[in-house]
Amino acid sequence: MIEFSAVSKTYRSLLGKRVPAVIDFTLAVREGEVLGLAGPNGAGKSTLIGLLLGYMAPTSGVVSIDGERPRTYIERYGIGYLSELVAIPPSWRTENALRRFALLAGVEPSAVQREVDRVVDQLGLDEHRKKLIKQLSKGNLQRVGLAQTLLCDERVIILDEPTHGLDPMWTQRFRDLVASLRRPDRTIVIASHNLDELQRISDRVAIIDHGRLQRVVDLKATNAGGVQAPYRLLVASGIEHVPAVFPDAVPSGVHEFNLPERPLEQLNAQISELISLGTLVVSVAPMHTALEQQFREAVAQ
Amino acid sequence: MTVPALPRRRARLLRYGGWQARDYLINVAVISIGLFGLMGTLEIMQLGAMEAMAMGNRAFVANLGRMRAQSFMHVFAIYATVGPIVALSGIIANDRAMGYVRFLFAKPLNPLLFYLQSFLVRLAGYFAVAGVLLAAYGYFDPVGDLERVAVGLLLGFVAYGGVLFLASALTKYDGLVTVAFLLLATLAWGKWETATGVRRFIPYLFPPVGKFSDVNNWVANLNPFDPRAPAVFPGKWVAWTVCYGVACLLLGLVALRKRALVKA
C-alpha cells in the first residue's frame, strides 16, 4: 500500500550546507498493517511523514501510496492525518473546525453534521463543541486533531505522536480506538517516541536513526520468541529463598530483585523452584520490552 | 481477500467558500472598513474645513467640483493600492507559517484550487468592503462614475494582488515584501526611466506602478494636464501592470506546486 524505494531527502541551508535527513530508506507497508515508526529526536521521522504526505519531494527515490505519487493519491482520495503539532486557527470553534474539515474531507454537505456528531461523541468532545480552539487544553486539542482524522472512512491513516498530551485514560482509549480502526484494507502508520505504545498497537515497528532505517521489528515474531533481557522479580514473602535459587539476583528494593538475562526455560524452572520452596511471587517481568531492547541495539549501532 | 476499489472523493470546495468568506469578514473586512473609513472621513473633513474657510469665495466655489473629485481620487487611490495588500496579506504564507496546511492538504484537496478560490473570495470581499465604503462616502460627497470605480478596483486588485500572491507563495513576510517591491518599482521607474545605457532596462524588471496610478485620475475623471479635458485611460501602462500581476499570480501557483508545503 505504502512504499518507500531508496528514498533520500537532503535539506539545504541558506549557505548551501547539505543536511541529510533521510538516507536510502526502503520500506513497504502492507494493506491491513499497523506500522510503528520509532526513532530518537531528529532521526528523520517527521521528514518521512512529510514525504509520505507529499508535503515535500524526496531528493532521490520514490514514495508511493497505492502505486501513485502521494499528492496524487491524497488529492484523489484523502488520508487521515494527525500531525504532531495540532495546528488549527485559534479563533475557530471546535464544532465549526470539524465542520470545515468534514467539507474538505469530501463529506456530503447533508452528512456533515452527522459525521461531526459521531467523532465528537467518539472522542468525548461534546462539552467542548462551542469552545474556541485557543481555549482547549493540550489534551483536548489533540482529541480535536484526532477527531478530524476520523471524519471520513480513510484507507490510509497517519498518526504522528498521537498520544502526545493525552491523559492516561485517553491514552488507553486511543489504543482501543486504533484497535477498532484495524481493517484488512486499511493501513495505519504511527510515529511515536513511546515504545510501550507502539509495542501494544503495532504489527511491525520500523526503527530509524540518523535518517537510516536501522531495522524493522516484527512484533508478533519477537513477542513469540520472548525477550532476552534482565528481569525484575517481586516477591511478597519467602524472600530468604531467593538468593539460594537465584545466586546472581541483585536486591533492588523492598522485596525486589534484578535478575540478569537468561533463557526463558531456565527462568521458568527457577521460578517453579522458588514457588515450591514457599515463596509467594508477585511478578517477574522483563526490565524492558522486546521492542525497547531492539531499539537500544538499533540506535546504539 | 479482494479489496473494493477506492471511490474517488473531492473536497466540497465551493461550500467551503462560505467559510473562507466568513474568515475574510471577521479577519479583514471589519478592520478594512475601520481603517479606510477613517481615511475617507479625514478627507471629507478636510474638504469641509476648506469649504468653511473659503466662506463662499467665488473662485473656490467654481473649483469645488474638481476638488471633490480630487478628494475622492485620494481615497480611491489608497484603497485600490493598499486594499489588495490588506485583503490578500498572508493568503498562503499564514497557513504555511502557522502549520494549518498540515490538516488542510491531507484532505482530497488541490492546494492550487484552494488558494485560487481564496483569492477570488478575497476579491469579492474587497469589492464588498469597497461597496460599504463607497456608500458611506457617497452619503457625504459624490463618488463619481461607479463603473470606472469598479474597473479601477479590479485592475488594482489583479495588479497588486498578483504580486502579493507570488510573495505569499515564496515567503512568510508577504505583505512586507510586496510593499518593498512596489516601492522599489516606483523608485526604479522614477530614477532610470530616462537613463541611458544598461540602466535604462532596469525599470522594465518592475511593473510601472507610478504610471498605473493614472488609473486613479481616470476613475475620478481628472485630467492632470487640462482641467477641462476628459481623463484618458492609461491603456498601455494598465495592460503592462495587470499582465505583470497575472504573471505573478501564475508564478505563485507554480511556486505553490513546486515548493514544499511544510518544513519538517
Side-chain angles (χ1 to χ4, degrees):
Chain A
M1 184 69 179
I2 294 173
E3 211 162 330
F4 294 90
S5 296
V7 172
S8 295
K9 176 70 185 175
T10 303
Y11 296 112
R12 258 182 207 210
S13 71
L14 280 175
L15 300 172
K17 190 181 166 194
R18 294 161 65 88
V19 182
V22 172
I23 304 162
D24 198 24
F25 188 92
T26 297
L27 180 71
V29 190
R30 296 181 288 262
E31 232 169 17
E33 185 176 28
V34 178
L35 180 92
L37 207 53
N41 290 331
K45 297 193 296 292
S46 297
T47 300
L48 274 177
I49 287 178
L51 292 166
L52 183 51
L53 287 153
Y55 287 165
M56 58 186 78
T59 310
S60 63
V62 177
V63 185
S64 66
I65 304 176
D66 208 12
E68 298 186 72
R69 288 189 317 152
R71 283 254 43 97
T72 309
Y73 180 91
I74 291 168
E75 287 171 20
R76 282 187 186 158
Y77 310 109
I79 60 169
Y81 171 52
L82 171 63
S83 57
E84 183 180 5
L85 295 171
V86 176
I88 301 173
S91 59
W92 292 4
R93 291 187 189 279
T94 301
E95 187 172 16
N96 287 345
L98 292 171
R99 280 190 193 142
R100 288 172 183 244
F101 287 129
L103 281 176
L104 293 178
V107 174
E108 284 282 345
S110 59
V112 163
Q113 193 57 49
R114 190 179 66 229
E115 293 304 309
V116 168
D117 289 344
R118 179 180 61 79
V119 294
V120 161
D121 185 49
Q122 203 171 5
L123 285 144
L125 288 166
D126 199 39
E127 63 180 298
H128 306 297
R129 271 177 191 266
K130 302 293 175 199
K131 283 187 187 169
L132 296 173
I133 291 294
K134 67 182 170 192
Q135 292 172 322
L136 298 178
S137 67
K138 175 80 189 86
N140 289 333
L141 184 60
Q142 191 74 5
R143 277 151 60 193
V144 174
L146 198 52
Q148 65 81 37
T149 308
L150 304 175
L151 280 164
C152 257
D153 183 23
E154 309 286 3
R155 288 268 178 93
V156 177
I157 296 178
I158 299 166
L159 307 170
D160 194 358
E161 297 293 348
T163 54
H164 185 66
L166 293 185
D167 61 29
M169 188 186 83
W170 272 102
T171 301
Q172 182 53 50
R173 281 206 197 178
F174 165 76
R175 287 173 189 152
D176 297 341
L177 192 64
V178 172
S180 73
L181 288 173
R182 270 182 185 275
R183 235 172 46 188
D185 64 342
R186 182 177 277 152
T187 306
I188 304 175
V189 176
I190 302 172
S192 178
H193 284 106
N194 189 335
L195 297 178
D196 179 51
E197 179 177 288
L198 292 181
Q199 167 106 29
R200 287 165 193 252
I201 57 185
S202 311
D203 298 317
R204 291 189 301 158
V205 175
I207 300 173
I208 55 172
D209 192 22
H210 292 100
R212 289 183 191 277
L213 178 63
Q214 301 295 338
R215 64 177 69 178
V216 180
V217 182
D218 186 332
L219 288 170
K220 281 178 191 157
T222 309
N223 289 340
V227 189
Q228 286 289 308
Y231 294 90
R232 181 164 289 137
L233 171 69
L234 185 62
V235 297
S237 64
I239 192 170
E240 65 279 7
H241 302 303
V242 173
V245 177
F246 293 101
D248 51 359
V250 179
S252 60
V254 181
H255 291 197
E256 197 176 280
F257 298 87
N258 288 346
L259 310 175
E261 65 178 72
R262 68 204 60 216
L264 271 179
E265 294 77 12
Q266 185 190 346
L267 179 72
N268 277 273
Q270 286 175 300
I271 296 288
S272 295
E273 188 186 346
L274 192 64
I275 291 169
S276 68
L277 291 171
T279 299
L280 278 177
V281 175
V282 177
S283 68
V284 57
M287 284 172 66
H288 45 256
T289 63
L291 181 59
E292 280 173 334
Q293 188 177 345
Q294 296 259 10
F295 185 83
R296 283 165 196 242
E297 288 170 15
V299 171
Q301 272 174 359
Chain B
M1 175 182 278
T2 310
V3 176
L6 195 54
R8 190 165 176 172
R9 285 207 326 258
R10 270 184 207 285
R12 312 281 164 179
L13 196 51
L14 284 178
R15 285 263 179 170
Y16 193 78
W19 288 106
Q20 288 175 319
R22 182 182 152 142
D23 289 341
Y24 184 87
L25 178 72
I26 294 168
N27 300 330
V28 185
V30 174
I31 199 162
S32 290
I33 289 170
L35 182 71
F36 295 108
L38 179 67
M39 289 176 185
T41 306
L42 291 175
E43 198 67 41
I44 289 168
M45 283 171 66
Q46 194 181 10
L47 192 64
M50 284 165 70
E51 273 187 71
M53 281 166 65
M55 288 192 297
N57 178 295
R58 284 171 64 187
F60 181 88
V61 171
N63 212 20
L64 191 59
R66 188 171 173 80
M67 288 173 70
R68 281 189 164 146
Q70 277 175 339
S71 277
F72 176 70
M73 189 195 71
H74 290 153
V75 176
F76 171 84
I78 291 169
Y79 186 70
T81 311
V82 183
I85 296 171
V86 173
L88 287 165
S89 186
I91 181 170
I92 301 166
N94 194 43
D95 286 353
R96 262 214 182 104
M98 303 305 289
Y100 304 148
V101 289
R102 289 176 186 271
F103 285 162
L104 290 177
F105 301 120
K107 310 292 185 235
L109 173 63
N110 183 331
L112 305 190
L113 295 179
F114 182 81
Y115 286 115
L116 213 48
Q117 176 168 295
S118 181
F119 186 88
L120 294 175
V121 167
R122 286 164 191 245
L123 171 62
Y126 164 80
F127 266 95
V129 168
V132 172
L133 292 171
L134 281 169
Y137 193 94
Y139 184 76
F140 299 102
D141 257 337
V143 294
D145 184 341
L146 282 178
E147 278 180 25
R148 287 192 180 195
V149 170
V151 170
L153 287 173
L154 182 63
L155 294 174
F157 195 87
V158 176
Y160 303 123
V163 174
L164 193 134
F165 191 86
L166 174 60
S168 201
L170 295 176
T171 168
K172 62 179 170 180
Y173 306 109
D174 54 354
L176 201 63
V177 167
T178 304
V179 170
F181 179 79
L182 295 177
L183 282 175
L184 201 63
T186 310
L187 285 174
W189 276 93
K191 195 164 170 59
W192 292 303
E193 187 187 359
T194 53
T196 52
V198 181
R199 281 183 302 177
R200 75 192 151 104
F201 295 112
I202 295 175
Y204 294 91
L205 297 172
F206 300 95
V209 282
K211 297 181 183 302
F212 183 74
S213 64
D214 288 349
V215 171
N216 305 328
N217 291 323
W218 175 75
V219 167
N221 199 16
L222 286 169
N223 188 324
F225 306 109
D226 181 356
R228 280 162 298 185
V232 180
F233 184 71
K236 175 186 160 190
W237 302 116
V238 166
W240 186 344
T241 317
V242 168
C243 285
Y244 200 97
V246 171
C248 285
L249 180 68
L250 295 175
L251 277 175
L253 292 173
V254 172
L256 193 55
R257 207 32 145 180
K258 295 285 178 194
R259 279 192 79 215
L261 278 168
V262 299
K263 287 182 180 173

